[in-house]
Amino acid sequence: MWGSSTTWAQLQRSINQLATLNRVPEPPKENTLLLRQSTYRLSIVRENEIASNLAFLSATSDDSLKVMAVCVEELVNGTGVTIRIASNSGDLFRVTSGFKILASSLEQAARRENSKDADQDALFQKVVALDLDRILSRLRSRHARTRRTIGKQPLMVQLNEALHDKSVRARPGFEKSSLKAMKAKAQALKILFVRLEHISDRTMERVNAEDIVRGIVKGAHEISKEAGLSIALEAFSGDPSLKHHLPEAVGKLGRYYSASLELVCAARDRTCRVFKSIQVEPVEVLVPDTCQEVAGYKVHAEIQLLFFYELHPDIPRPRVICSSKSACYLCNLLFELHRGFDIPRTHGKLYTKWMLPHWLDIPTERREDLGLLATQLKAALDSKIQSTLRSKKRVCYHPNESILPPHAHWPSSSALSRNSSPQPSASTSTLRPSSIPIREAITNREILCADLPVTPPTSPPEGSASSALETTGASEAMELEDNAGSMAIRGNVSLVSVGNNELPYSQSITISTPSLHLQLSKLSLTLEFVQVTIGHLSITRVKDDSKTRDKNRCSVDVANIPTTTTLRLDCPPHSNELSFQLQGSPAERLRIVFIWGVNPGICREEIRCQPRS
């Protein structure tokens, strides 16, 4: 293939041999996003979140064998994106047309002509209209256009029966009031579902049906975001599979709403205006009629997008390709060897009808590299075969191929929304507790070089303030002394978690996003900066001594954080230090100091204590 000694027939034999030994060669896993030096406007975390949400919404069909893949490609002028969509089977016309309607709403949101709530409602209506068939199938409604749900109990009925089972009761960590509220929400969803089922013809009453479905989806979002459903069902004595199925099914149902909210937040973000212009383009790799030996084989959607960019090396490349299901074993292996794109996760299962588009006329400058890729792929498969033969035979469990990615974290109130460009002489921080489980987006991730040469991604040109900042944040890592005295690398971070036994804490860091999340034992705080920056963070425990207390240092009582309060801290002239104390108990305080940049400058810090969201 592509000038190498490896043929497609040889690859097929290796794939089939491995499949006979183990249909799930590796367990499901989350992949690490690789940081690359670039001038992309979107951070790689945001790109992954946006592409993941779009991939979820792209699965409009109830055909479980039809898998979609999506990527977000930034235009060279920095003011637009192209959303490319591929499918492993079927026509792309409907989903492409639907995405163009979604793109129109996102462009309007980027102009910020309406309120955020209005933009979110407008997009959510279009999302439900596009994905109505899939949502009805998830509900197991009689209106679903599939036979897969015939004879299965509707989701809302399952949910209510499980929550009202005698075995489900309050316990430590899940109070009686919380259980009562969850039962009430589930009952409200059941009432809406009954109304939906009473519609005689959903085609004739489409407006009414969509309105009811939007209510159900929003209600499912309310239940799933509290993360209490899994706790409530821990002691459930009925069908044990429901303990996992119900939280997952309700979460997927609510995802149509949360995806709408997150996409609008991304479009309205003033620090990255790439959604001003959105193009939607389908990608399809056609199998020629001459390839008789490939009957029944499929070029997976992720592979189609990868080879689209190989065929068009002059087009700017995205960094992440997401699909409506986790990637299979072979797709994940190929992407690991290629190293040109990231895919978020794999379910580890092997499909024998997987294939490479070996008939494509690859540009001359890429043939050698792709020929090497084919050789490396076969070598990796043969190595896996040998290791499988040597290892003890194990039971093959078929993994869940479709899981929900983590929610994006968008601050409810941000200093960034008030500043269209960073100010080098000032910085604004927002301090608030976080009700959303904080996840680490990119921590201690090395900038890895590809073993296989790839076409250098054509990225947007330098010039904007946001891109310059991101380049600095992505390419620089700080060296620091660890407790043992050896040198350690602390790269881009968005979360710092410090336990009581780890104090005092002192470390140089590069903040990968404008939001720095601090997890201090049981307290979660978020500091929002105008710009991504390099600095030194220290957290120390200090005794409360009124005689020796520094009166010039701002003190924040933890008990007062949920109230809407604005505290101002005036730094001394020519200072680049943010310093404040958290009063946790009458006898103890935490001192938090963040010193940023290299050259001190005049600055003033404003700390906003936001109510819990």
Side-chain angles (χ1 to χ4, degrees), residues 109-409:
R111 293 193 293 270
R112 301 175 70 94
E113 297 170 346
N114 304 315
S115 68
K116 184 169 71 172
D117 288 344
D119 286 336
Q120 289 173 341
D121 287 343
L123 181 64
F124 181 48
Q125 287 187 28
K126 294 177 174 62
V127 164
V128 170
L130 174 64
D131 290 287
L132 184 60
D133 289 341
R134 187 63 174 261
I135 296 173
L136 291 173
S137 177
R138 293 189 187 279
L139 287 170
R140 298 177 179 175
S141 167
R142 71 180 187 87
H143 298 295
R145 294 172 177 172
T146 177
R147 302 182 63 85
R148 294 176 59 238
T149 59
I150 294 177
K152 294 184 178 180
Q153 193 175 35
L155 177 62
M156 294 300 107
V157 176
Q158 281 185 323
L159 177 64
N160 276 270
E161 288 185 356
L163 287 176
H164 287 85
D165 189 87
K166 292 181 179 180
S167 61
V168 177
R169 59 188 66 181
R171 60 156 68 77
F174 192 70
E175 299 177 355
K176 186 176 181 179
S177 59
S178 299
L179 178 59
K180 183 178 179 180
M182 184 168 291
K183 287 180 177 179
K185 291 178 181 178
Q187 182 63 28
L189 291 183
K190 184 179 178 181
I191 292 172
L192 284 174
F193 181 74
V194 170
R195 285 179 53 197
L196 177 66
E197 297 300 271
H198 282 170
I199 293 178
S200 58
D201 187 341
R202 65 113 163 171
T203 303
M204 298 296 294
E205 299 183 58
R206 186 178 180 90
V207 174
N208 186 26
E210 289 182 5
D211 183 58
I212 294 173
V213 167
R214 287 195 298 271
I216 294 174
V217 170
K218 290 180 72 172
H221 169 73
E222 288 298 317
I223 291 177
S224 62
K225 75 176 184 179
E226 296 172 358
L229 183 55
S230 296
I231 300 174
L233 296 175
E234 283 180 357
F236 178 58
S237 61
D239 183 354
S241 66
L242 292 180
K243 293 181 181 182
H244 174 75
H245 167 69
L246 286 176
E248 182 184 66
V250 173
K252 288 180 178 179
L253 198 58
R255 193 53 182 261
Y256 294 97
Y257 184 68
S258 61
S260 302
L261 305 188
E262 292 172 10
L263 287 171
V264 167
C265 285
R268 290 173 60 92
D269 186 3
R270 284 180 172 171
T271 66
C272 186
R273 309 310 302 273
V274 296
F275 284 90
K276 287 184 177 180
S277 174
I278 305 174
Q279 302 295 320
V280 179
E281 298 291 342
V283 172
E284 188 174 7
V285 173
L286 298 176
V287 180
D289 296 334
T290 54
C291 293
Q292 299 297 327
E293 77 280 5
V294 299
Y297 283 73
K298 291 181 179 180
V299 180
H300 286 198
E302 306 97 314
I303 303 299
Q304 292 187 45
L305 288 177
L306 183 151
F307 275 90
F308 169 83
Y309 289 102
E310 290 293 355
L311 289 170
H312 303 87
D314 56 325
I315 293 180
R317 287 188 172 193
R319 290 161 293 180
V320 183
I321 293 177
C322 295
S323 55
S324 55
K325 289 187 176 182
S326 300
C328 72
Y329 170 76
L330 291 172
C331 282
N332 189 67
L333 178 59
L334 185 77
F335 273 82
E336 285 183 345
L337 295 171
H338 185 276
R339 291 291 186 93
F341 307 90
D342 289 320
I343 50 177
R345 62 191 58 82
T346 175
H347 54 67
K349 187 176 178 180
L350 185 149
Y351 293 101
T352 57
K353 295 297 184 179
W354 182 93
M355 74 178 308
L356 284 177
H358 55 86
W359 56 87
L360 292 179
D361 186 14
I362 299 297
T364 303
E365 65 269 24
R366 295 296 298 146
R367 288 181 63 84
E368 181 179 353
D369 291 336
L370 289 183
L372 176 60
L373 176 65
T375 300
Q376 290 179 332
L377 179 61
K378 185 178 185 307
L381 289 172
D382 292 342
S383 175
K384 190 69 174 180
I385 290 169
Q386 294 303 315
S387 64
T388 304
L389 288 170
R390 291 192 300 268
S391 62
K392 183 179 179 180
K393 189 173 183 179
R394 57 185 176 86
V395 179
C396 178
Y397 295 100
H398 289 277
N400 182 5
E401 299 181 16
S402 177
I403 64 171
L404 282 174
H407 287 287
H409 176 72

Side-chain angles (χ1 to χ4, degrees), residues 80 84 96 173 240 451 471 487:
R84 298 198 186 273
T96 301
D451 296 330
T471 303
M487 296 304 295

Side-chain angles (χ1 to χ4, degrees), residues 543 545-555 577 579 581 589 591:
K543 292 185 177 180
D545 188 343
S546 57
K547 295 181 180 180
T548 60
R549 186 184 306 167
D550 185 355
K551 295 182 179 180
N552 294 322
R553 192 181 302 276
C554 176
S555 180
E577 175 182 313
S579 178
Q581 291 183 355
R589 290 171 178 260
R591 178 179 297 161

